[in-house]
Amino acid sequence: MPTWMVAVATGIIIALAGYAAALLWQLRQQRQRQARLKTERRATLAEQIQLIAKACLEKQCEPSEGALRLVNLLRALPDSDMDALRHQYPVLHELFDKVADHPILDARKALKRNERMKLDMERAHWEARLGPKLDPELTQLAALQ
């Protein structure tokens, strides 16, 4: 085999190796960026969860509203296991399940007055029944990292 063919083949191999190294470097950078964004997202969501849990503990937020917001934020956490969260915060999820189907905003305004009052009574019933049991879970969520 002529020397020039060996040189060309070697050049091609070196060029392909350089290209593969560049692609691996880009992949590494992309994974680092994704990990950083995931960490930042988790920190932001944890901060929001802490604020809402503290507001509920200080009675600045209704328990049912807190449950709706907290469960949805917990679901949005990266790598969250919903079954584990349901077992870890059973009262929160029970209250969420009881009020999640209640209409809000314009849908609530569209209801007749007696329908709204019925839903309010139902919500107040569940808040009175589950609210006191919710405090330990809210305390735990207020310290979430």
Side-chain angles (χ1 to χ4, degrees):
M1 189 179 310
T3 308
W4 68 271
M5 288 179 105
V6 172
V8 169
T10 303
I12 291 172
I13 291 172
I14 290 172
L16 289 174
Y19 182 63
L23 289 177
L24 286 173
W25 177 257
Q26 287 177 351
L27 179 63
R28 181 174 180 251
Q29 295 294 320
Q30 182 181 19
R31 286 186 178 161
Q32 287 175 344
R33 186 172 42 255
Q34 287 173 341
R36 187 183 74 250
L37 291 174
K38 186 176 177 181
T39 302
E40 289 172 2
R41 173 134 174 88
R42 180 166 180 74
T44 301
L45 289 171
E47 182 181 347
Q48 292 173 352
I49 290 169
Q50 291 170 351
L51 288 172
I52 294 170
K54 288 176 185 175
C56 288
L57 285 170
E58 296 170 0
K59 309 300 183 214
Q60 297 174 350
C61 179
E62 296 290 330
S64 57
E65 182 182 351
L68 291 171
R69 292 173 185 265
L70 288 169
V71 169
N72 286 315
L73 287 171
L74 287 169
R75 287 179 178 172
L77 282 172
D79 300 327
S80 63
D81 179 9
M82 286 313 299
D83 291 331
L85 289 172
R86 187 170 279 282
H87 291 314
Q88 190 173 3
Y89 307 110
V91 178
L92 181 71
H93 281 84
E94 184 178 356
L95 182 56
F96 174 82
D97 292 339
K98 300 297 182 190
V99 299
D101 60 342
H102 288 203
I104 59 170
L105 303 174
D106 291 335
R108 178 177 164 78
K109 289 178 186 176
L111 294 174
K112 293 180 182 175
R113 185 173 183 257
N114 63 339
E115 293 172 340
R116 278 195 312 263
M117 288 185 68
K118 181 183 174 197
L119 289 173
D120 288 346
M121 294 294 288
E122 182 182 342
R123 181 180 48 81
H125 165 76
W126 289 115
E127 285 180 353
R129 184 166 173 238
L130 298 173
K133 298 177 187 176
L134 193 59
D135 285 350
E137 293 180 13
L138 291 172
T139 303
Q140 191 177 6
L141 286 169
L144 184 71
Q145 294 297 328

